[in-house]
Amino acid sequence: AVFTAEYLTLSLTCRAAGIPLVSFVLAPRSIAELVALLPFYVEVILRSAGFTNTAALKAFRVVRLIRVLRVFRLGRYAAGLQIMWKAVVDSRQAISVLLFLLCTGVVMFSSTLYYLERLSCPLREQMTTTELATYLSECSDLFNRGVSPAHGLCCTEDNSPNDFPSIIAACWWAVVTLTSLGYGDLYPKTAQGKCVGMLAMIAGLLLIALPIAIISQKFQDIYEVNDKEETKNRAAQRMRGAPHETWTLIPGSDVIRRLKGLAVKDEEAREAIQSMVRSLEEIWELREALGRERKYALAQTTRFHKGFDKLLMGMMAENS
């Protein structure tokens, strides 16, 4: 009811903001909210018609989860989320390298583990009926943990390990190991498989450490820039002088912001623009210092005049 009331209120008041009703309804955000609202009423109609516990109702319940995405709308009001999003956007190259190396490592280690584990699978064709029954019985016993005491590694009819019946199935283990997560639900049983797992662990540490360091540095840089901007804004508020004048650190134009946003391919031109931006920022910092000195001088002059006026008034009162 709350979401419905919100949608109707926005629909009725969008014209006051200069947005036509058709444009508001066809906007992607409005369509997403409408898709999140309709399943509730469709479910009510189907239940009233006698349809219960059907596949359609279950699908509508899943669609209603779209409303959870509304929480991301709070990001526009949270400075921390905005800083994190900027850090992720600026680190997209490092993230792309991380994903590429992760995919390469997953394919390589999952394939290696599958084929090395498969070497330890016993040949069922060479077993007698009694040996095969014993082998299947021991493999079905959870106490043995996928290894038959009499015949070795438990495998399928295709001579593939039970835990890793295919390379695709081994990819789950590779992802968990390379990301240093380690659920422990799947793990190699043979000596050669454990060697592959050890190499995957070491590669995972190197794989995650380098890009994460770059992303952390980006986050630190953006956080420092944001903190510096907030410091300048606070200083600008403190630097207000007389009612007819205002000293501020914020430039009168958006030149610095536009220079920072330029996408220049030439390395020399990029360095020159960055040097120019640093120079402009230093100029505004010097302006802040000059503004503080001017404000202090004006305050001292005003205090002197007030004291001098009191002295003159006292001398005139004594003479009279």
Side-chain angles (χ1 to χ4, degrees):
V2 176
F3 296 116
T4 304
E6 179 190 8
Y7 182 81
L8 293 177
T9 303
L10 292 175
S11 301
L12 296 175
T13 59
C14 64
R15 295 181 180 178
I19 303 175
L21 180 60
V22 178
S23 300
F24 172 79
V25 173
L26 296 180
R29 187 176 65 181
S30 301
I31 294 175
E33 293 182 355
L34 185 62
V35 170
L37 290 173
L38 287 180
F40 172 76
Y41 296 101
V42 174
E43 183 177 352
V44 172
I45 295 173
L46 291 177
R47 287 183 180 276
S48 61
F51 296 96
T52 58
N53 296 326
T54 60
L57 286 178
K58 295 179 180 179
F60 281 124
R61 292 193 188 100
V62 173
V63 174
R64 288 171 62 184
L65 292 176
I66 297 176
R67 291 183 297 185
V68 178
L69 299 178
R70 288 170 173 262
V71 71
F72 291 103
R73 295 173 59 182
L74 300 176
R76 70 182 72 176
Y77 307 109
L81 292 178
Q82 294 179 1
I83 293 174
M84 185 176 297
W85 174 250
K86 290 180 181 178
V88 172
V89 173
D90 291 348
S91 305
R92 56 185 179 273
Q93 184 176 3
I95 295 175
S96 62
V97 173
L98 172 63
L99 294 177
F100 173 75
L101 294 177
L102 179 62
C103 294
T104 304
V106 166
V107 173
M108 182 177 65
F109 284 108
S110 60
S111 303
T112 306
L113 179 70
Y114 170 74
Y115 285 109
L116 290 181
E117 286 276 291
R118 192 176 182 182
L119 295 176
S120 299
C121 288
L123 298 177
R124 296 192 179 189
E125 295 80 4
Q126 299 178 358
M127 294 183 184
T128 63
T129 305
T130 304
E131 291 176 343
L132 181 59
T134 303
Y135 175 71
L136 295 177
S137 176
E138 291 176 346
C139 289
S140 62
D141 189 354
L142 297 178
F143 179 79
N144 294 324
R145 297 182 179 181
V147 179
S148 171
H151 301 282
L153 185 65
C154 295
C155 300
T156 62
E157 296 179 356
D158 299 329
N159 289 330
S160 297
N162 284 344
D163 291 340
F164 309 106
S166 63
I167 296 177
I168 301 299
C171 287
W172 166 255
W173 169 86
V175 171
V176 171
T177 305
L178 288 172
T179 55
S180 303
L181 187 58
Y183 277 125
D185 54 343
L186 298 176
Y187 55 91
K189 304 294 192 306
T190 62
Q192 62 270 22
K194 292 178 181 179
C195 291
V196 175
M198 181 178 62
L199 295 176
M201 296 175 195
I202 298 174
L205 292 176
L206 299 176
L207 173 68
I208 298 297
L210 297 178
I212 291 300
I214 297 174
I215 297 173
S216 301
Q217 184 61 41
K218 289 288 185 180
F219 179 82
Q220 181 67 23
D221 294 341
I222 294 175
Y223 183 84
E224 290 179 354
V225 170
N226 184 75
D227 185 67
K228 191 174 182 180
E229 292 294 332
E230 290 182 355
T231 303
K232 287 183 178 180
N233 292 331
R234 289 193 298 267
Q237 295 297 327
R238 294 195 304 267
M239 290 167 56
R240 294 184 180 278
H244 61 276
E245 64 175 354
T246 301
W247 289 82
T248 176
L249 288 172
I250 303 175
S253 65
D254 59 345
V255 174
I256 295 179
R257 181 180 61 82
R258 293 170 62 183
L259 288 175
K260 289 182 177 180
L262 287 178
V264 182
K265 297 182 178 180
D266 188 8
E267 186 68 23
E268 295 182 358
R270 188 185 305 110
E271 293 180 357
I273 292 175
Q274 292 177 355
S275 177
M276 184 185 302
V277 170
R278 287 193 296 268
S279 299
L280 290 175
E281 290 178 344
E282 290 177 358
I283 290 173
W284 283 100
E285 290 176 359
L286 292 175
R287 179 182 172 87
E288 175 188 4
L290 292 174
R292 289 178 178 175
E293 294 178 0
R294 176 182 171 80
K295 185 177 179 180
Y296 178 77
L298 290 174
Q300 292 293 103
T301 303
T302 303
R303 187 181 304 173
F304 172 77
H305 284 301
K306 288 182 179 180
F308 188 72
D309 290 341
K310 289 182 180 180
L311 178 62
L312 289 179
M313 294 296 294
M315 294 175 61
M316 292 174 62
E318 289 180 359
N319 292 333
S320 61

